[in-house]
Amino acid sequence: MKYGNAIFHLEGPRRVKGVRWSQNKELFDCWRNGTTGYPLIDANMKELIATGFMSNRGRQIVCSFLVRDMGIDWRMGAEWFESLLLDYDPCSNYGNWTYGAGVGNDPREDRYFSIPKQAQNYDPDGDYVAHWIPQLANLSKSQRHFPGQAYLKPVVSLKFANSGRPRPESNKLDFSKMEFKSGGNSGGFRGRSRRF
């Protein structure tokens, strides 16, 4: 109630201006279908599609990846979650997406969830990713999160290297001009058709 419909606006409740979000459909389709080339992201998205559920930590990780690494308009992710989550609630969903995109309330600006760190902390043996991506089950536990040629080629580079420092080329990205690195999946966005 405090923010009214600002939680649905691109600038969010903080009215953040100047971020150039991409609406690259091919990249978005890879994310929503769980074919990004990053097993932790893909497993969470496959779980959501299959069950209508994703853990809170998973929601934060895939949100961070979509907005921080892919540079995709956060509202597309929020809408996708809205169309699939069994426990959907507008305030929780859009509040969490504005938070993850840096346009909502967050005491730490530019919050980023490092995939290598999250994988190590929350799925150190790769059992979760092997469950949702069975082709990874035959790999050694140390390879399941970063399987190289045994899995899909990542569609984007991660914004931060393992050191936690930004990659030089990511400091001033214009997300609207990002190029898609590999072939995408067919199928259109199945959320409500809202104009951004």
Side-chain angles (χ1 to χ4, degrees):
M1 289 180 61
K2 180 178 180 179
Y3 295 108
N5 65 4
I7 64 169
F8 303 106
H9 297 183
L10 184 64
E11 299 85 14
R14 289 183 39 223
R15 300 187 184 351
V16 175
K17 304 277 186 199
V19 180
R20 294 183 50 104
W21 299 104
S22 170
Q23 291 186 359
N24 182 312
K25 185 181 175 329
E26 291 176 321
L27 281 177
F28 181 74
D29 284 349
C30 286
W31 176 81
R32 75 177 181 110
N33 292 321
T35 57
T36 66
Y38 292 99
L40 187 59
I41 302 302
D42 296 348
N44 273 285
M45 298 307 291
K46 289 178 186 303
E47 179 183 22
L48 176 62
I49 291 166
T51 68
F53 177 78
M54 185 186 297
S55 70
N56 184 59
R57 177 60 58 165
R59 294 175 198 205
Q60 292 175 322
I61 294 167
V62 301
C63 171
S64 177
F65 181 78
L66 183 74
V67 301
R68 303 288 182 194
D69 292 310
M70 296 180 112
I72 301 291
D73 184 337
W74 65 269
R75 296 168 302 168
M76 293 170 72
E79 243 182 52
W80 183 244
F81 273 34
E82 180 180 345
S83 73
L84 293 175
L85 284 172
L86 295 176
D87 64 349
Y88 171 76
D89 171 79
C91 296
S92 294
N93 188 53
Y94 282 86
N96 284 330
W97 275 94
T98 61
Y99 157 87
V103 298
N105 291 327
D106 186 359
R108 286 177 33 195
E109 292 194 22
D110 274 347
R111 185 174 301 270
Y112 179 81
F113 286 82
S114 162
I115 292 174
K117 183 177 184 217
Q118 298 300 312
Q120 181 59 45
N121 288 349
Y122 296 100
D123 188 30
D125 292 332
D127 293 334
Y128 174 77
V129 296
H131 175 79
W132 291 103
I133 308 168
Q135 73 193 71
L136 300 177
N138 295 328
L139 297 178
S140 70
K141 292 180 179 198
S142 64
Q143 289 182 301
R144 289 179 178 172
H145 284 286
F146 293 94
Q149 305 253 343
Y151 189 57
L152 303 172
K153 179 181 176 187
V155 295
V156 295
S157 298
L158 296 177
K159 179 179 177 182
F160 288 90
N162 287 341
S163 66
R165 291 186 304 249
R167 293 179 173 277
E169 70 274 11
S170 70
N171 289 338
K172 296 186 180 182
L173 281 180
D174 179 347
F175 292 129
S176 66
K177 296 178 181 165
M178 286 183 75
E179 293 293 320
F180 182 63
K181 290 187 175 180
S182 66
N185 292 347
S186 61
F189 178 63
R190 286 184 263 176
R192 292 194 318 237
S193 61
R194 207 181 271 152
R195 296 255 178 221
F196 297 124

